[in-house]
Amino acid sequence: MAACLDNFTAKIIAERRETMAKLTKDQLSECARLSIEAEHAVRSMPQLVEKYPELTREEGYVIQKIREQMLVAKGHKVIGYKMGATSMEKRRQMGSTMPSFGRLFEYMMLEENRPLRRQDLIHPKVEPEITFVMKEDLSGPNMTSAEVMHATDYVVASLEIIDSRYHGFKFTGPDAVADNISGARFMLGSVKISPLDLDLELLGVRMSINGEDVTFGTGAAVLGHPARSVVALVNMLYNSGEKLKAGQIVMTGGITASQLIKAGDKVVAEFASLGPVTLEVID
Ligand code: OOG
Ligand code: MG
């Protein structure tokens, strides 16, 4: 596994081991492997904290980074990031007090109008999000919303399909971070608008399943303004020696709580100005 770790990850692990002497490199790699295997096998697993009750959020991020390196070694590609727990409804649902981030890989992207296969996932849920696509690199630690808005190519409506790899969708903060914040699939809408031409905080969304409205919200639910979610991401990435790159996608986090979906469902998220995103779930 060591060959899979870059210098940066090795350094964090070394530092943590000096200060906390907690999980070893092999144990961290084992946690990353378990999350990947559960995803591939479409089978849920026990929380990592059952085995490692002292698991920290920082260790969760190291596991997430190792997980990324393992997927990249298999030929996958990171195409952006997804923020977690940026709205009150999501924080309440996740039992989380602070925002977190995960990574988006190319295989997670569902082309518009492509159905989601229920059997590919363990217990999928869907949530509406506003997504930024960047045209310039951004690095922390002192990011501002204005810089984010100017560095953004466009925003689009989106649906995220999350699928925790833990039994019953139950986890602690460090577990969720280690498991890539439940990232599974996502679908982007086709209307692209500069965030400078929208009142993102006032932008409303209504999500329905099989014609019945299930959740409502506005962009302001996401940290007061979705650009602040990108600010938080860029500043967190700085802490781990990374930056947001031109062309990358940032899903700013569920505006509303997520909803369980099943085969046969038709989910529509209707966003003001940005239009609808429609997801059909098949067997
Ligand atoms: C974690 C996913 C969090 C969001 O938008 O807040 C997330 C979960 O709810 O399992 O994607
Ligand atoms: Mg989400």
Side-chain angles (χ1 to χ4, degrees), residues 240-255:
S240 55
E242 294 173 75
K243 67 176 182 184
L244 183 60
K245 299 192 197 102
Q248 286 188 319
I249 296 169
V250 183
M251 302 198 74
T252 55
I255 296 170

Side-chain angles (χ1 to χ4, degrees), residues 32-44:
R33 195 180 57 73
L34 286 171
S35 162
I36 291 176
E37 280 183 5
E39 181 177 354
H40 285 179
V42 195
R43 205 167 42 226
S44 63

Side-chain angles (χ1 to χ4, degrees), residues 171-191:
F171 43 70
T172 65
D175 278 312
V177 170
D179 183 42
N180 203 27
I181 315 288
S182 311
R185 297 287 184 277
F186 65 93
M187 182 181 275
L188 303 182
S190 51
V191 178

Side-chain angles (χ1 to χ4, degrees), residues 75-106:
H76 291 300
K77 208 171 159 253
V78 175
I79 58 170
Y81 298 90
K82 51 156 292 174
M83 290 293 286
T86 53
S87 69
M88 230 142 67
E89 282 193 39
K90 280 301 301 184
R91 282 200 289 276
R92 203 171 289 139
Q93 187 173 37
M94 295 165 66
S96 177
T97 53
M98 59 173 127
S100 47
F101 73 87
R103 297 156 203 278
L104 296 174
F105 294 88
E106 88 301 334

Side-chain angles (χ1 to χ4, degrees), residues 139-197:
S139 30
N142 300 310
M143 196 37 49
T144 64
S145 294
E147 279 175 277
V148 165
M149 303 278 275
H150 284 95
T152 302
D153 196 358
Y154 53 86
V155 296
V156 281
S158 56
L159 277 175
E160 184 182 19
I161 298 105
I162 52 174
D163 196 33
S164 171
R165 265 61 66 172
Y166 300 112
H167 296 324
F169 235 105
K170 293 205 175 67
F171 43 70
T172 65
D175 278 312
V177 170
D179 183 42
N180 203 27
I181 315 288
S182 311
R185 297 287 184 277
F186 65 93
M187 182 181 275
L188 303 182
S190 51
V191 178
K192 303 171 178 178
I193 304 183
S194 162
L196 299 169
D197 296 332

